[in-house]
């Protein structure tokens, strides 16, 4: 299975993290409050913007299994928290809930 | 204070199937000084070619209003709503904790032109909801006709924010007053024709952002069709 992590601005879709375009180490897992994402990334302009707009980010995981339609999972971050640890160069994002969908299920 | 934003000052993006004129920062267009006016975050003047549209995508914590100016739009979402709207109809989506939806032009021949506006809700984390409403285009002449408001009404979509969206058509020479409180803000957008707002001229697709004014006088310099939004 191929997986992509993407974090975008919810207003218009500016991309802050796209693991298909840049090498990004990340893990995501269930947490007590919903879901937790930890991304190893140096501080840069995109991360600064993500943190500035942290209440308005869309987090996606795209999962592609060969021969099957792509599954998209969208995560509702709400109030996060969204934090950055400069010592660890780690971004941590908590999401409250998620919706799974297959784009092909909708007429577009 | 009335600030006029000429139509040509808007950012235009052209994807071939979609031409968008953006009044506020959106997507590839980002200007930190033009990210909102009051709770209004987006006003996109979109033109979609036939049989094309936006694939499935999410929204959250935003009140999204689509006003069809010509053609028709088909909406489908994960809550089970499917609707096709044309001129005289309004779609309002409270994205709240999350909605997945598609929007596309279902016609095989006719271009779609819609105004899509996004507003911050009064409260984040609301239950998602969707509504269509229908107004009578014959009622637009010579009055400010509410089409969206917080309380909603028959023919008026409800929205989770303290705002009202009006549409109006005035004949050349006709005048209308809007009793704006100086503590409120007003966004005015000319869809067609020309008018003056407290003496400031607006041409087709020009906008005015009004604040700290008590009372607006809108005079039709020619037959005019415009939208006025009363904002907190």
């Amino acid at each position: 299975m191929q997986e992509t992590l993407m974090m975008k601005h919810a207003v218009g879709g500016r991309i802050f993290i796209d693991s298909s375009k840049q090498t990004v180490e990340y893990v995501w897992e269930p947490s007590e409050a919903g879901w937790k994402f930890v991304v190893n990334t140096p501080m840069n302009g995109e991360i600064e913007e993500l943190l500035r707009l942290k209440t308005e980010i869309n987090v996606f995981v795209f999962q592609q299994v060969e021969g099957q339609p792509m599954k998209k999972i969208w995560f509702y971050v709400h109030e996060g928290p969204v934090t950055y640890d400069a010592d660890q160069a780690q971004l941590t994002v908590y999401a409250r809930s998620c919706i799974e969908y297959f784009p092909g299920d909708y007429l577009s | 204070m009335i600030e006029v934003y000429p139509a040509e000052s808007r950012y235009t993006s052209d994807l071939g199937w979609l031409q968008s004129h953006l009044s506020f920062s959106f997507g590839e267009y980002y200007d930190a000084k033009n990210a909102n006016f009051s709770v209004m975050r987006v006003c996109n003047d979109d033109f979609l070619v036939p049989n094309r549209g936006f694939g499935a995508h999410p929204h959250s914590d935003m009140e999204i209003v689509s006003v069809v100016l010509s053609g028709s739009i088909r909406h489908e979402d994960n809550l089970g709503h499917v609707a096709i709207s044309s001129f005289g109809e309004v779609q309002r989506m409270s994205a709240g904790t999350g909605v997945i939806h598609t929007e596309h032009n279902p016609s095989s021949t006719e271009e779609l032109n819609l105004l899509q506006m996004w507003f911050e809700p009064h409260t984040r984390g609301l239950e998602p909801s969707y509504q269509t409403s229908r107004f009578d285009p014959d009622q637009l002449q010579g009055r400010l006709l509410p089409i969206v408001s917080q309380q909603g009404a028959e023919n008026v979509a409800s929205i989770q924010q303290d705002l009202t969206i009006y549409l109006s058509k005035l004949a050349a020479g006709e005048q209308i007053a809007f009793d704006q409180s100086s503590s409120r803000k007003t966004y005015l957008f000319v869809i067609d024709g020309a008018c003056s707002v407290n003496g400031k001229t607006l041409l087709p697709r020009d906008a005015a952002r009004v604040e700290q004014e008590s009372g607006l006088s809108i005079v039709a310099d020619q037959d005019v069709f415009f939208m006025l939004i009363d904002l907190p």
Side-chain angles (χ1 to χ4, degrees):
Chain A
M1 180 183 71
Q2 278 196 322
E3 184 176 282
T4 298
L5 172 72
M6 196 174 281
M7 295 190 183
K8 306 167 74 170
H9 188 206
V11 183
R14 270 196 305 156
I15 297 171
F16 304 125
I17 292 174
D18 180 353
S19 70
S20 73
K21 301 272 172 61
Q22 61 196 111
T23 304
V24 179
E25 281 182 28
Y26 68 91
V27 291
W28 63 284
E29 59 191 8
S31 77
E32 200 173 303
W35 303 90
K36 178 185 180 184
F37 295 79
V38 177
V39 183
N40 293 325
T41 175
M43 178 56 78
N44 55 37
E46 283 75 27
I47 300 301
E48 278 179 12
E49 278 295 277
L50 183 153
L51 291 168
R52 189 175 70 81
L53 299 164
K54 61 187 179 183
T55 60
E56 296 183 348
I57 58 170
N58 279 331
V59 176
F60 295 91
V61 171
F62 301 156
Q63 294 179 334
Q64 180 73 68
V65 175
E66 198 174 330
Q68 294 184 19
M70 177 183 282
K71 179 167 82 174
K72 294 189 175 184
I73 312 170
W74 168 78
F75 295 86
Y76 177 55
V77 173
H78 193 55
E79 305 295 346
V82 177
T83 57
Y84 185 78
D85 182 332
D87 294 335
Q88 303 280 333
Q90 251 177 13
L91 174 74
T92 303
V93 176
Y94 286 89
R96 174 192 280 197
S97 58
C98 70
I99 301 175
E100 294 184 7
Y101 63 104
F102 293 89
D105 288 350
Y106 296 83
L107 183 61
S108 61
Chain B
M1 180 174 63
I2 300 176
E3 264 193 285
V4 174
Y5 289 74
E8 59 271 20
S9 71
R10 299 176 299 171
Y11 183 88
T12 295
S13 73
D14 193 344
L15 301 176
W17 63 273
L18 167 68
Q19 189 179 72
S20 291
H21 303 285
L22 314 176
S23 296
F24 297 95
S25 293
F26 191 85
E28 66 188 37
Y29 164 54
Y30 184 69
D31 176 356
K33 293 178 185 158
N34 190 30
N36 70 293
F37 179 61
S38 176
V39 295
M40 189 172 187
R41 297 291 300 272
V42 170
C43 181
N44 292 352
D45 185 4
D46 289 339
F47 294 81
L48 279 77
V49 303
N51 285 327
R52 292 293 301 270
F54 304 93
H57 61 281
H59 291 289
S60 60
D61 289 328
M62 206 59 81
E63 300 293 299
I64 298 176
V65 176
S66 298
V67 178
V68 180
L69 299 179
S70 63
S72 58
I73 184 170
R74 182 184 185 278
H75 161 101
E76 179 181 354
D77 66 41
N78 68 315
L79 306 174
H81 302 109
V82 177
I84 294 178
S85 303
S86 55
F87 181 66
E89 294 171 297
V90 173
Q91 298 190 355
R92 187 275 302 150
M93 186 167 73
S94 294
T97 56
V99 176
I100 307 294
H101 81 146
T102 61
E103 296 161 297
H104 84 278
N105 178 357
S107 171
S108 57
T109 56
E110 193 178 2
E111 184 180 63
L112 161 65
N113 178 207
L114 82 154
L115 292 176
Q116 185 164 89
M117 292 159 285
W118 298 15
F119 304 93
E120 294 167 7
H122 56 62
T123 308
R124 290 163 54 83
L126 294 167
E127 185 79 17
S129 68
Y130 174 80
Q131 178 186 17
T132 59
S133 61
R134 184 190 300 265
F135 62 88
D136 180 357
D138 291 339
Q139 298 296 313
L140 295 172
Q141 198 65 45
R143 71 171 71 169
L144 289 165
L145 184 71
I147 60 167
V148 177
S149 72
Q150 184 169 19
Q151 59 275 24
E154 189 178 355
N155 306 324
V156 181
S158 62
I159 191 166
Q160 301 290 335
Q161 182 52 272
D162 174 20
L163 65 84
T164 304
I165 302 176
Y166 302 88
L167 291 178
S168 179
K169 286 185 175 180
L170 302 178
E174 203 172 359
Q175 181 174 346
I176 200 165
F178 179 66
D179 186 20
Q180 176 178 269
S181 156
S182 59
S183 63
R184 306 275 298 175
K185 297 182 181 181
T186 304
Y187 186 81
L188 202 145
F189 182 86
V190 173
I191 295 164
D192 200 12
C195 63
S196 299
V197 183
N198 289 6
K200 301 246 186 177
T201 301
L202 298 177
L203 300 173
R205 311 287 165 149
D206 286 357
R209 301 181 194 181
V210 184
E211 51 189 316
Q212 296 170 333
E213 293 272 337
S214 53
L216 293 180
S217 171
I218 301 159
V219 180
D221 298 327
Q222 52 183 256
D223 288 357
V224 66
F225 179 25
F226 66 92
M227 174 179 70
L228 185 151
I229 309 177
D230 175 35
L231 294 157

